[in-house]
Structure formats: structure tokens, C-alpha cells
Amino acid sequence: MGLAAAWRARSSTAAGAEGGAYKETPADERLFEQVYLQYTSEYMKGPMYWHKDKLQGSLPDYPGRPMIRDGKYTPYVLGNLKSFSSNELAFLSMLFFGVGLYGNLQFNYYDPQWAKVDAGGYFNVSYIVESLLLPISFFMHIACYIQKQNGK
């Protein structure tokens, strides 16, 4: 008896669903076309097909991690620095600038290395390594600005 009642209830709900059949509106049709077009275009970019968007130099975005959103750079541009706050990056920028400037000034003016080499000595390598932090401070400054624009 239970099986017969369940079968009858199932057939009556199916008949009720057919009575109020879904009717597609023009908005639904446009939405389906948009989703289908986007899906097929992404599918065609798969590993078996060549597409200009797959070239690393032209559009290096990874899915779900856009480089530019609303005309501003996102933290994904920074790579490993994306988890740093703008305050931390500002500190690193000033630190690298100070150390790099120190190494540069020491090498050229306060402890002139070219005069030492002319006298038969050797360069002080620490000044060279310190001066290499000067351009890195500029990129830290840019990273700080990007994080500041993103509210971090």
C-alpha cells in the first residue's frame, strides 16, 4: 500500500509541475547566450588551442587573480609582497633607501674605493652590496603605493 501511495503522490506532483511549465523570457534567453558565449570562449582557450590571451607577455593574469581592476593595480601585481601592508612596505623602502644611500656615499665620497684600488688595494665589497639596495627601495616604494591604493 505504501509503495502505491508513494507512486501516486510522485505522479501527481509530476503532473502538477507540467501544468505550470516554465516559460523562457527574452531576458533569460540573453543571459543564457552570454553565459554560453563566455563558457565556450574560455573553453577554447584550453591547453589544446592557441590564443593570444595565453601568451605570458601580453596578459599575465591568472584566473581569479586579476592584475588590474577598475583601472587600479591589485595586490596580485606584487607577487610575494601581496601579504605585506603599506606600512611594512614603507618601512622596508626607507630602510633599503638608507642602507643603499649609505653604501653609495661610502663607496664614492667618505671612503673612496677607486683611490684604494689605484693604490693597489681592494674594493670594500660591503659598500657594493649595500648600494644595490638603493634601486630595490624604489620598487618597495611603488609596492607601498599600490597597497595604499588598495586600502591595505
Side-chain angles (χ1 to χ4, degrees):
M1 286 302 257
L3 287 175
W7 180 72
R8 182 175 173 104
R10 191 177 105 204
S11 63
S12 66
T13 58
E18 290 174 5
Y22 172 73
K23 193 161 199 172
E24 186 175 39
T25 64
D28 293 338
E29 188 176 334
R30 280 193 307 273
L31 179 64
F32 174 76
E33 287 175 3
Q34 288 173 349
V35 170
Y36 182 76
L37 179 65
Q38 182 182 4
Y39 172 77
T40 53
S41 64
E42 292 298 320
Y43 176 77
M44 293 301 284
K45 293 180 196 173
M48 293 174 42
Y49 300 97
W50 181 89
H51 194 274
K52 67 180 182 70
D53 288 349
K54 291 180 4 180
L55 298 176
Q56 183 63 32
S58 64
L59 188 64
D61 294 359
Y62 292 104
R65 297 189 297 176
M67 297 288 186
I68 299 173
R69 181 181 293 144
D70 297 330
K72 292 192 306 187
Y73 287 106
T74 62
Y76 298 114
V77 173
L78 304 177
N80 293 336
L81 298 177
K82 69 183 171 203
S83 61
F84 284 74
S85 72
S86 63
N87 289 337
E88 293 168 336
L89 291 170
F91 173 76
L92 288 174
S93 175
M94 289 188 292
L95 178 70
F96 288 176
F97 180 76
V99 172
L101 189 62
Y102 170 79
N104 220 345
L105 291 174
Q106 285 291 99
F107 186 88
N108 289 319
Y109 300 108
Y110 301 121
D111 187 15
Q113 296 298 301
W114 295 112
K116 282 188 176 180
V117 171
D118 288 342
Y122 295 104
F123 283 126
N124 187 347
V125 180
S126 67
Y127 296 155
I128 298 171
V129 173
E130 291 166 356
S131 68
L132 292 175
L133 293 178
L134 200 55
I136 296 173
S137 73
F138 176 70
F139 294 109
M140 289 290 174
H141 174 76
I142 293 173
C144 172
Y145 176 76
I146 290 172
Q147 290 292 67
K148 187 79 167 175
Q149 290 295 323
N150 288 307
K152 291 187 175 184

